Amino acid sequence: QVQLVESGGGLVQPGGSLRLSCATSGFTFNDYAMSWYRQAPGKGRELVGSITNDLSTHYADSVKGRFTISRDNAKNTVYLQMNSLKPEDTAVYYCNDIRGGTLFLYWGQGTQVTVSS
């Protein structure tokens, strides 16, 4: 079955950087576009960005120019490089399919990112 394991979160000061990883298994990774989502306290889950099989990327306006999504098909892993972090980036970050989890029917535990001085 599908497994998504996010890691790399933590506490960082404003302006800092983090790199998140999402290790996947249970499906043919190369066949799927992947997305990162986040959920801030008291808010709904929102799309951060996506990467297709041919490495095309799309980002939410709120993170464009600061975040970069990449993937390593040999490792079945997708990454989220986050630079110039802001307090409003504080959230639990998840990876999933590009349809908000409706393809995989599974959500991992996510990884907490806290941006605070």
Side-chain angles (χ1 to χ4, degrees):
Q1 70 274 25
V2 171
Q3 293 286 318
L4 306 167
V5 180
E6 300 90 350
S7 62
L11 173 63
V12 62
Q13 292 187 341
S17 298
L18 282 174
R19 188 194 194 206
L20 307 184
S21 299
C22 173
T24 76
S25 61
F27 63 99
T28 305
F29 183 74
N30 297 14
D31 288 348
Y32 287 86
M34 296 293 295
S35 293
W36 282 94
Y37 302 86
R38 67 186 181 185
Q39 186 166 19
K43 295 187 177 181
R45 195 170 288 163
E46 65 173 353
L47 175 67
V48 173
S50 303
I51 184 166
T52 65
N53 315 50
D54 62 358
L55 306 184
S56 297
T57 53
H58 166 81
Y59 300 96
D61 287 344
S62 59
V63 307
K64 201 172 294 183
R66 300 187 297 121
F67 290 11
T68 303
I69 298 175
S70 60
R71 62 190 294 162
D72 185 335
N73 288 342
K75 295 183 178 180
N76 294 342
T77 300
V78 60
Y79 303 97
L80 179 65
Q81 177 66 44
M82 305 187 295
N83 299 328
S84 302
L85 282 161
K86 304 175 181 180
E88 52 263 43
D89 295 318
T90 295
V92 179
Y93 284 72
Y94 304 86
C95 69
N96 216 309
D97 61 66
I98 60 168
R99 296 186 182 179
T102 59
L103 295 178
F104 295 159
L105 302 178
Y106 172 87
W107 287 90
Q109 82 288 350
T111 187
Q112 175 71 50
V113 172
T114 302
V115 185
S116 174
S117 55

